[in-house]
Amino acid sequence: MSFLAKFTQRSFIVLNVLAAIAFLITCLNWYINPGEWWFVALMGLPFPFMVLAHVIFVIGWAIVRSKWAFLSILVLILGYSNIRVLFGTNFTSDFKTEKPDSTIRLLSWNVHQFGFWDGPKNGLLVRRQILDYIKKQDADILCMQEFISDNPGMTKHISIFELLRDMGYPYYFYSEDYSLWRGRYTSGVAIFSRFPITDSFRIRYPGEAAKMTAESLVAADILVNRKPIRVFTTHLQSNMIAREEYGQLSSARGVRDSLFTSGKSIVKKLKRAYEFRSQQADKVAAALDASPHPEVISGDFNDIPNSYTYFRLSQNRQDAFVEKGWALSRTFSHISPTLRIDYIFADKQYEILQYKRDVLPYSDHYPIIADLRLHN
């Protein structure tokens, strides 16, 4: 073997070993609280690409008939629990609009304030488009994050609560987390239901409204076919990355002029968000575990499947996407095709019948829908 061939082989061996170490450290996100080990959580962001890298290593070493292929094979086996939640494998299942009487259809969506952040005129148009979509889905329960409501007497258009009541959702529970535009609107998270809500509560996360860290977890006990279930929804701490920062990262101009500056700012924001979300995830997990009824939680968790938040909240529960979804199924429209950060988790007393995500332009998040059936 020539010197160049030996050097090339040893370089790939070193790269493979380093990739294996990084991969295994990233898999520890399941156990490590990102409030203390935020850089490990940060390593989880490119995790799908790490999986792809090890697949390439396996194929490459197999082609040259090298025993080093077994290193990446071993790594992929050890990381199976983390890999499994990345990809949906139900490619043959089509979502059926019709649903049996015993089915509960839940729709969860971060509606991004119905577009009102871009002015009332645009907001009313986007709100109408979102409601038209919701009406076609025939959901029984709606969970919305970054939901915005009208303050009666301060706005002239029809209240969102009236519109949803006319669509068949007379029961609701809503948290007013933020006051917007001098009190004309309030923003928070909301649950709407066709079935009666018999009880409800709210857990407010510690934080400052001015810094957009004062979010809430809301829960509603809903009587479905004379059986009580508990539905939760929440919006966990946002990374607070501005639209222009996403643009700088994804454009050639940003790479040339300000990638380092933008990247440094984004890492600082991610670190802060990880610390908040780890505390919030612990609070949510405690509330879920204390539920006296079969629970379902959905929402915008602002964290990827390979994260402390994901494994903390999905423990002893079913991820509707993993059970009935397909491919990567991103739910956030910016940066990467791997960003699935919106979820529906259900108690194991439910059967997950089907799941879908629709790619729509009305929000920076995509709606997700699952059909559930409660076991007798």
Side-chain angles (χ1 to χ4, degrees):
M1 184 182 294
S2 67
F3 171 77
L4 181 59
K6 286 183 179 180
F7 177 79
T8 302
Q9 183 186 47
R10 288 175 182 174
S11 297
F12 275 108
I13 290 172
V14 171
L15 287 173
N16 199 166
V17 171
L18 291 175
I21 293 171
F23 183 92
L24 293 175
I25 291 175
T26 302
C27 288
L28 294 177
N29 274 327
W30 191 342
Y31 309 101
I32 295 178
N33 190 316
E36 300 172 2
W37 300 87
W38 63 270
F39 55 89
V40 178
L42 198 62
M43 290 174 61
L45 291 175
F47 185 74
F49 302 102
M50 292 183 181
V51 175
L52 178 61
H54 282 289
V55 171
I56 292 172
F57 273 125
V58 170
I59 295 172
W61 289 127
I63 290 173
V64 299
R65 297 182 180 181
S66 171
K67 62 183 180 181
W68 282 101
F70 290 103
L71 174 61
S72 286
I73 291 173
L74 177 61
V75 163
L76 292 172
I77 291 172
L78 292 174
Y80 172 75
S81 295
N82 295 69
I83 297 170
R84 179 178 176 271
V85 299
L86 285 178
F87 307 101
T89 57
N90 300 277
F91 63 93
T92 58
S93 57
D94 294 326
F95 192 92
K96 297 177 177 61
T97 304
E98 302 78 17
K99 61 182 191 294
D101 293 339
S102 59
T103 299
I104 305 167
R105 177 164 294 172
L106 186 146
L107 185 156
S108 182
W109 196 357
N110 180 328
V111 294
H112 200 31
Q113 298 180 358
F114 294 117
F116 276 87
W117 51 269
D118 201 22
K121 185 176 181 181
N122 183 67
L124 289 173
L125 174 62
V126 173
R127 186 175 75 171
R128 183 72 267 167
Q129 292 169 322
I130 288 175
L131 292 179
D132 286 344
Y133 167 81
I134 290 174
K135 187 175 182 179
K136 294 175 183 176
Q137 305 314 305
D138 193 27
D140 300 300
I141 300 170
L142 309 177
C143 295
M144 286 184 271
Q145 307 83 46
E146 291 193 36
F147 175 87
I148 191 169
S149 69
D150 324 280
N151 191 331
M154 298 187 71
T155 56
K156 296 180 180 179
H157 43 265
I158 301 174
S159 164
I160 182 66
F161 299 104
E162 293 181 56
L163 292 171
L164 285 166
R165 182 194 61 201
D166 293 342
M167 287 171 54
Y169 301 98
Y171 309 102
Y172 66 89
F173 183 58
Y174 165 57
S175 69
E176 296 184 348
D177 294 335
Y178 305 112
S179 178
L180 306 173
W181 293 357
R182 297 181 180 179
R184 289 177 64 190
Y185 301 93
T186 55
S187 177
V189 289
I191 298 172
F192 287 82
S193 174
R194 287 178 172 170
F195 302 110
I197 294 178
T198 59
D199 199 3
S200 58
F201 65 87
R202 171 194 185 194
I203 297 175
R204 186 75 178 265
Y205 305 134
E208 300 178 43
K211 296 182 179 179
M212 301 299 286
T213 58
E215 306 282 0
S216 293
L217 168 73
V218 298
D221 289 347
I222 301 176
L223 200 62
V224 180
N225 299 325
R226 293 181 294 180
K227 296 179 182 178
I229 66 171
R230 180 164 289 180
V231 176
F232 295 85
T233 194
T234 190
H235 180 246
L236 298 185
Q237 178 60 48
S238 170
N239 294 314
M240 301 299 292
I241 299 173
R243 219 176 348 171
E244 50 271 22
E245 290 177 303
Y246 288 125
Q248 287 172 347
L249 283 181
S250 60
S251 68
R253 182 178 180 275
V255 171
R256 289 195 306 269
D257 299 341
S258 57
L259 178 59
F260 177 77
T261 303
S262 298
K264 186 177 179 181
S265 171
I266 287 173
V267 168
K268 184 177 180 180
K269 290 179 178 180
L270 288 172
K271 175 180 179 294
R272 180 170 171 270
Y274 284 133
E275 292 171 352
F276 275 107
R277 274 200 303 273
S278 65
Q279 299 169 17
Q280 294 170 354
D282 289 339
K283 285 182 177 292
V284 174
L288 293 173
D289 293 340
S291 174
H293 310 305
E295 77 275 4
V296 181
I297 180 168
S298 69
D300 173 8
F301 297 169
N302 273 305
D303 236 330
I304 56 175
N306 182 55
S307 67
Y308 176 83
T309 298
Y310 177 90
F311 285 110
R312 188 79 173 89
L313 301 186
S314 65
Q315 189 173 13
N316 298 320
R317 294 172 191 92
Q318 306 171 85
D319 181 343
F321 165 78
V322 172
E323 298 298 323
K324 295 295 179 180
W326 164 241
L328 289 170
S329 195
R330 70 188 289 180
T331 62
F332 185 61
S333 61
H334 293 302
I335 299 184
S336 172
T338 63
L339 292 180
R340 183 169 72 94
I341 61 176
D342 301 81
Y343 304 94
I344 297 173
F345 296 153
D347 187 291
K348 291 185 178 179
Q349 294 186 57
Y350 295 93
E351 178 185 0
I352 310 295
L353 301 177
Q354 53 180 355
Y355 170 94
K356 76 167 180 173
R357 172 219 60 173
D358 284 327
V359 177
L360 300 172
Y362 313 133
S363 168
D364 55 355
H365 289 251
Y366 302 137
I368 55 176
I369 303 174
D371 282 359
L372 316 172
R373 178 186 290 139
L374 187 61
H375 292 303
N376 291 327

